Amino acid sequence: MSVPEPPPPDGVPAGPPDRLVAREPTPGLSDTSPDEGLIEDLTVEDKAVEQLAEGLLSHYLPDLQRSKQALQELTQNQVVLLDTLEQEISKFKECHSMLDINALFTEAKHYHAKLVNIRKDMLMLHEKTSKLKKRALKLQQKRQKEELEREQQREKEFEREKQLTAKPAKRT
């Protein structure tokens, strides 16, 4: 992004010149300038400009190429680092998910132990209820037997009393 430059003052060229050319003095500038005659007297040949440009390029171009190569290497290293960083982030996510899975397995073990205890309790309660049912059945059978015996005893006593009671004799 470039910032626009303010307009140049009057008489000053805007931007780099392609060639140094003698110019007319700008009206409005002081006529008493010590460099006044230099620009007019200076003539530059194309060959000299070319040689100067080549000299400038030969002086700065190797450094610029080395800088460009260094920047490319840095960019490649940065890409490698970003890839490595993404891999590490994915490893951390996997570790985090592994921790979640481990927590789920721990919770599953806990609930499995609870289920085993509940099953034991239910088996124990089943055994107790079975024993209680057997005992209740035995008690019921015993009561029925006792009642049957009492009933039989009453019948026997009733028969005995019946036999003991005096019977009027039959008149014949």
Side-chain angles (χ1 to χ4, degrees):
M1 186 168 138
S2 64
V3 177
E5 296 181 17
D10 290 335
V12 177
D18 290 339
R19 285 189 175 173
L20 293 178
V21 180
R23 298 186 183 230
E24 295 288 324
T26 308
L29 289 178
S30 172
D31 290 339
T32 60
S33 172
D35 297 331
E36 184 178 303
L38 288 179
I39 293 179
E40 292 174 2
D41 295 337
L42 182 65
T43 56
V44 179
E45 295 181 18
D46 288 340
K47 189 174 182 182
V49 171
E50 242 179 78
Q51 287 176 347
L52 285 172
E54 285 177 14
L56 185 65
L57 282 175
S58 67
H59 184 268
Y60 287 110
L61 192 60
D63 289 338
L64 289 173
Q65 287 176 340
R66 281 193 298 271
S67 296
K68 181 180 178 182
Q69 182 65 29
L71 282 174
Q72 286 175 343
E73 287 178 19
L74 285 173
T75 304
Q76 289 173 349
N77 289 342
Q78 190 176 25
V79 167
V80 169
L81 283 174
L82 285 173
D83 288 342
T84 306
L85 186 62
E86 285 179 13
Q87 291 172 358
E88 291 298 318
I89 288 172
S90 67
K91 285 180 185 178
F92 279 123
K93 286 180 181 177
E94 287 176 15
C95 287
H96 187 65
S97 65
M98 289 300 288
L99 290 175
D100 290 342
I101 290 171
N102 286 339
L104 286 175
F105 276 117
T106 303
E107 193 173 354
K109 276 184 184 179
H110 174 70
Y111 285 115
H112 182 268
K114 276 188 169 185
L115 285 173
V116 167
N117 287 337
I118 290 172
R119 184 172 184 223
K120 285 179 185 177
D121 290 346
M122 289 181 72
L123 287 174
M124 185 179 66
L125 289 173
H126 177 70
E127 288 176 14
K128 284 184 178 181
T129 55
S130 296
K131 287 179 183 178
L132 285 173
K133 284 180 182 178
K134 286 180 184 177
R135 186 173 175 208
L137 184 62
K138 285 182 183 178
L139 285 173
Q140 187 180 9
Q141 288 174 349
K142 186 178 177 183
R143 282 187 192 148
Q144 286 176 351
K145 186 178 176 184
E146 287 175 356
E147 245 183 75
L148 185 63
E149 286 176 359
R150 271 191 241 129
E151 188 65 35
Q152 288 174 353
Q153 186 69 27
R154 276 190 219 137
E155 283 181 23
K156 281 182 186 178
E157 285 180 19
F158 181 70
E159 285 294 323
R160 193 169 173 215
E161 278 186 32
K162 201 178 188 188
Q163 286 178 357
L164 290 177
T165 55
K167 292 183 186 175
K170 288 186 185 178
R171 293 187 187 181
T172 38

